[in-house]
């Protein structure tokens, strides 16, 4: 349930705090239930019963994580019913993709660089692309943050940063592997935090830092070791991976996000492409590399816990690497198909999506204290002077 | 100590954030110490010494939880000295009630639907009734929330939501029972969250959501399985319980709270009747039902951990159910007697309670930055000079 | 990584929230990496390799804690590069001091009253003294808090309060000792919280509470049992220690901090002398006392886990007490030498430190939303229309 922490990461929008944290809550509650069923059907369906336990709880949590990542791409432009329908489809696609990767292909992805982050990000981005609104600039003035909303978002960042070593190591086998995963994640996060600060100052022009980069790119180190965290990545490898992840993530926020929007019509509200998409794909490639280098000497008796098929002699390290790469391709295909399908089914404004001029605005969906008529006067005078100040 | 998370749930009031979180802290620190003594006297007093351990820490924490629930009913209308005296009495009543239920009657109530939630809520409500102020509307303008105070309160909600499975399972026996309790709580919380969103939109008239419902009723699923969480509730049972709890809680906020105030003169600031009172009683009934259905077949060897008296053959499932029901009655009696007693002893304004026009106002008790004279001009200028300071 | 919680404790400044939490993040990420190397070199360097594990992670976390404490003393008056250079030096000094105390002198200091709190506080205070700015009053108007920044800081307080029993017990040996440490910390924290409330009201003149006291002094109970928490302190001892710690800490904020600034030219932004300095030294003395009273009878078989040298007969309880006292002296020497050295190396304004009139101001280092020109108009109009809306 820890993924609800994502909710606060999205509170940065000046007029969308209730929806960010509220719909996170709604989506998580729905996805946790629905994915317990879907994943139970794939993984623990015996004699007409689904068996549940702590493991199914962790799996459902990870699936909810992917849904919340996709939510980040369309934040502010969709209504709660639309989001629930998106989750309805995404949970199924997630379950199928995870089943294909982990059970059919024997791919390793404990912390979900592929199954959670790559899948969630590209599902959301394609979904956002299909729902593209040419008139979105009518809501542009509400898209920024204000001082306190940025501080709220930092609560989410710190919460996720502290608990990320636990996320990545939760589904691994106990003992050595779990400790190794936690340590690799820890090193990678510290490195991505440093590279984010350095890059943010470097690319800003005037040497000042951008809160958006810190809030997000500092976490990219957790994403990038999602696949390889349980493997013999070594501390040096984890630091390098984290450094790269923080770097591409920050550069993505600065240079790629505007291009994605202007050229490719992909409006990515939270920049999930930078925090989950690119670092997820990088993490998948890192997994290919580290799996391909696996030897009996390096892992000893622990090989069985990380690469059971190699330990049993059914697969060489090289072929495991090929399977990892194939797993990434499968994930991207499922994400694109799922996101397109979801987008086309839900793109018409017959649902509860806000109009072009009402995006990023809480009072469409919430009774906001102190404001009884929707859009009465300039409803946003509120924070306007705020940002003008 | 985790119950301090309640503090943030109460921060929703626009001008009472310091007091909400500060007095939570004060009451928790006092109740933890005092209940270690009181409960130690009942449960682990041997040869003139009280024995303490992790278990006594958890027990004290649960007692502090009950005190904080009662605080929620009178939030904004009482001073810290008055609250400490209330806690002085309530901790004793809590200890006696818990001793009668768990030790004398052999009632099961691991997560405290009765001992914590029902007791805390009705103690607080009766206490609030006795302290009823006919002139409270003088402070009405300060009773609402503002945008950021609602976001702060959501921090409390999310914190409690994430940790509730751990609360309910903390005092159960290790292993299977603990896992079952966590899973049941988890399913119930997801269901109450969904039903809260649905009901909140349904009852609002214009389809918009009310942040107060989400902040509170979404947690009712944790309360309702406090008794039956360790039992063979089944996932379906947990989901149903959570759904009902979220529903009655939301309906309570919408329809019952105004009636309680206007007709019964019970002013319930945080709506503890909706989050703890009704779901607690419902949880107690659910415990009666599930205990009455207990069989050796369903629990196997685990029966001894959940119903030791049934396992030893000293009691039938049916008679356990009767004892559970009797436990609820005892709890309600102790809560009403305790709350009345507390109210009558503390109702005179000789203590530090605020005057009718100064309720829900921090600066009576706190040096609020930027405001040196209490009640200077319109009370909400507050933030003006605040920020200018 | 849990020490990042300190970040929020420092968010109380009205215009320095981004820097408080951002630079905490930056310093923690850097210190965690650098101290893994430095401490690895001292404690687990074998055959040319540093061995890492969960223990080295906890050690690095504690070192980062000391760096963040020092940061609290100079908060608002230093730039990020200057802080990183401070951390570069401080981590080395911390590592040497810890090695001398724990490995060479056989001093016990599980929760770090000496190695973390005393060291971090006096390093920071001496550093701040050397960097003293006579013209700092030019930034005085930004040194206070505002309503919401104080609430943000309380998030840090509550987070640290809840997790402090885990901090202090993390590095102790498992089982009994760990439980005892957690319980002692818990009792001490509850006592310091109560004494803080009482003293804060007593010293205020008008009976009102000061949020600064609650945010900080309530935590002094965790600091004061850092050394003796794992020892046979007894609940009564822990309560007394906490009571004293909360008392001196509150009195320190009220009376000592202004004197330190006006007479001794030590400007201590967060009051680390009150929360970490004095309670840390008090905790070290408490350790001397409790160690000196250690007997085989009181500890039984557990003596080996707490005082291995006494258990092996290599040291008497009295001589252990002397070593503890000597450990405090060594820590103070290292802190003074380190802080002075750091201050002299970094005191010239050639680095990125803000000018005298730009202290406690985010926009020197951050792109603050809605504010493109530093200090345009009254920058803080912000909340005005907000609350009125």
């Amino acid at each position: 349930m820890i993924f609800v922490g994502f909710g606060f990461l999205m509170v940065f929008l000046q007029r969308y705090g209730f929806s960010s944290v509220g719909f996170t809550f709604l989506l998580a509650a729905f996805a946790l239930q629905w994915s317990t069923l879907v994943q139970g059907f794939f993984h623990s369906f015996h004699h007409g019963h689904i068996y549940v336990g702590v493991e199914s709880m962790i799996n459902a949590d990870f699936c909810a994580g992917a849904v919340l990542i996709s939510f980040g791409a369309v934040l502010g432009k969709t209504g709660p019913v639309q989001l629930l329908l998106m989750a309805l489809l995404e949970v199924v696609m997630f379950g199928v993709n995870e089943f294909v990767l982990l059970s059919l292909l024997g791919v390793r992805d404990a912390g979900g660089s592929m199954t959670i982050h790559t899948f969630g990000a590209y599902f959301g981005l394609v979904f956002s692309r299909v729902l593209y609104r040419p008139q979105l600039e009518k809501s542009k003035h509400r898209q920024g943050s204000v001082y306190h909303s940025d501080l709220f978002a930092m609560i989410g960042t710190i919460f996720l940063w502290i608990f990320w070593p636990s996320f990545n190591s939760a589904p691994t086998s106990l003992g050595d592997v779990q400790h190794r995963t936690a340590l690799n994640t820890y090193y990678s996060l510290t490195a991505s935090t440093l590279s984010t600060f350095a890059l943010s100052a470097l690319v800003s022009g005037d040497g000042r830092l951008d809160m958006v980069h810190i809030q997000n790119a500092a976490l990219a180190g957790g994403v990038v070791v999602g696949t390889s965290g349980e493997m013999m990545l070594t501390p040096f490898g984890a630091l390098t991976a984290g450094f790269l992840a923080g770097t591409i993530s920050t550069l993505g926020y600065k240079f790629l996000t505007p291009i994605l929007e202007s050229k490719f019509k992909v409006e990515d509200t939270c920049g999930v492409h930078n925090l989950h998409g690119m670092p997820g794909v990088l993490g998948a490639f890192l997994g290919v590399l580290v799996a391909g280098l696996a030897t009996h000497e390096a892992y000893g008796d622990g090989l069985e816990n990380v690469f059971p098929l190699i330990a049993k002699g059914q697969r060489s390290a090289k072929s495991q690497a090929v399977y990892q790469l194939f797993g990434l391709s499968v994930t991207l295909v499922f994400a694109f198909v799922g996101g397109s399908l979801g987008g086309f089914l839900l793109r018409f404004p017959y649902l509860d999506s806000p109009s072009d001029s009402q995006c990023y605005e809480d009072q469409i969906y919430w009774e906001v204290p102190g404001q009884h008529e929707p859009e009465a006067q300039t409803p946003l005078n509120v924070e306007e002077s705020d940002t003008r100040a």
Side-chain angles (χ1 to χ4, degrees), chain A residues 262-338:
Chain A
S262 60
K263 295 276 161 66
F264 298 94
K265 301 183 178 175
V266 180
E267 209 276 332
D268 178 7
T269 314
C270 294
V272 301
H273 189 240
N274 309 307
L275 173 51
H276 303 279
M278 291 190 296
V281 171
L282 184 64
F285 280 119
L286 190 64
V288 171
L289 180 71
V290 184
L293 296 173
T295 59
H296 283 271
E297 289 69 44
Y299 287 80
D301 291 343
L303 187 61
E304 201 170 358
N305 293 321
V306 183
F307 298 113
L309 296 174
I310 303 181
K312 289 181 208 150
Q314 295 175 9
R315 207 177 257 185
S316 69
K318 291 246 163 61
S319 71
Q320 178 69 35
V322 173
Y323 274 99
Q324 295 285 137
L325 193 60
F326 188 54
L328 174 62
S329 324
V330 170
T331 299
L332 288 170
V333 169
F334 273 108
F336 275 85
V337 170

Side-chain angles (χ1 to χ4, degrees), chain A residues 15 64-65 102 157 272 279 344:
Chain A
R15 291 293 306 158
L102 308 190
T157 303
V272 301
F344 282 109

Side-chain angles (χ1 to χ4, degrees), chain A residues 16 18 23 49 61 70 76 82 105 118 133 163 166 195 200 206 210 212 234 258 262 265 282 288 291 318 371 377:
Chain A
Y16 209 61
F18 285 16
F23 297 164
H49 286 84
D61 208 23
S70 303
Q82 212 176 7
L105 298 177
T118 304
R133 296 156 171 273
F163 287 104
S166 314
S195 65
S200 183
D206 59 358
D210 187 331
V212 173
T234 77
S262 60
K265 301 183 178 175
L282 184 64
V288 171
K318 291 246 163 61
Q371 277 181 301
Q377 308 132 5

Side-chain angles (χ1 to χ4, degrees), chain A residues 30-269:
Chain A
F30 174 72
L32 289 168
Q33 290 182 41
W34 178 225
S35 83
T36 301
L37 279 180
V38 170
Q39 293 190 64
F41 182 76
F42 281 118
H43 294 296
S44 55
F45 186 73
H46 309 295
H47 311 295
H49 286 84
I50 286 172
Y51 289 78
V52 294
V54 173
E55 204 186 330
S56 68
M57 218 165 112
I58 295 175
N59 282 342
D61 208 23
F62 278 15
C63 179
V67 172
L68 295 176
I69 291 167
S70 303
F71 174 38
V74 294
L75 189 77
K77 301 167 293 182
T78 44
V81 174
Q82 212 176 7
L83 288 169
L84 285 174
L85 292 172
M86 179 196 83
L88 186 75
L89 174 69
E90 183 169 0
V91 167
V92 176
M93 299 298 285
F94 178 96
V96 175
N97 180 56
E98 199 199 42
F99 181 72
V100 170
L101 261 67
L102 308 190
S103 301
L104 298 188
L105 298 177
V107 166
R108 301 297 298 182
D109 194 24
S113 287
M114 289 179 271
T115 54
I116 303 170
H117 300 286
T118 304
F119 178 82
Y122 289 101
F123 186 103
L125 291 166
V126 173
F127 186 68
S128 179
R129 173 66 189 80
V130 179
L131 297 176
Y132 180 70
R133 296 156 171 273
Q135 302 292 316
L136 195 60
E137 73 275 14
K138 288 183 187 167
S139 293
K140 214 74 189 176
H141 58 289
R142 262 183 245 110
Q143 217 185 334
S145 60
V146 291
Y147 196 74
H148 280 142
S149 69
D150 268 327
L151 280 179
F152 274 113
M154 274 307 281
I155 299 174
T157 303
I158 284 186
F159 185 85
L160 293 171
W161 203 75
I162 290 174
F163 287 104
W164 214 296
S166 314
F167 299 164
N168 278 354
S169 61
T172 64
S173 60
L174 296 174
D176 277 3
V177 183
Q178 199 153 45
H179 288 173
R180 181 164 65 231
T181 315
L183 280 169
N184 282 334
T185 309
Y186 165 93
Y187 293 129
S188 183
L189 280 170
T190 55
S192 64
T193 304
L194 287 191
S195 65
T196 299
F197 271 90
L199 261 287
S200 183
L202 274 176
V203 299
S204 72
D206 59 358
R208 292 197 292 166
L209 298 159
D210 187 331
M211 204 32 139
V212 173
H213 302 162
I214 310 303
Q215 280 159 6
N216 292 280
L219 295 168
V223 174
V224 80
V225 296
T227 301
S228 57
E230 61 170 349
M231 303 175 189
M232 286 291 178
L233 182 58
T234 77
F236 180 75
L239 290 167
T240 311
F243 177 84
L244 286 175
T247 303
I248 59 165
S249 189
T250 308
L251 294 176
Y253 275 101
K254 184 74 184 178
F255 303 110
L256 197 54
T257 296
I259 295 174
L260 274 182
E261 189 172 349
S262 60
K263 295 276 161 66
F264 298 94
K265 301 183 178 175
V266 180
E267 209 276 332
D268 178 7
T269 314

Side-chain angles (χ1 to χ4, degrees), chain A residues 12-30:
Chain A
F12 71 99
L13 289 171
Q14 56 183 281
R15 291 293 306 158
Y16 209 61
F18 285 16
S19 303
S20 298
V21 72
F23 297 164
T24 292
F25 217 29
L26 174 66
L27 283 176
F30 174 72

Side-chain angles (χ1 to χ4, degrees), chain A residues 363-375:
Chain A
Q363 53 188 331
I364 313 301
Y365 304 110
W366 298 87
E367 289 168 26
V368 177
Q371 277 181 301
H372 299 299
E373 298 83 42
E375 298 287 335

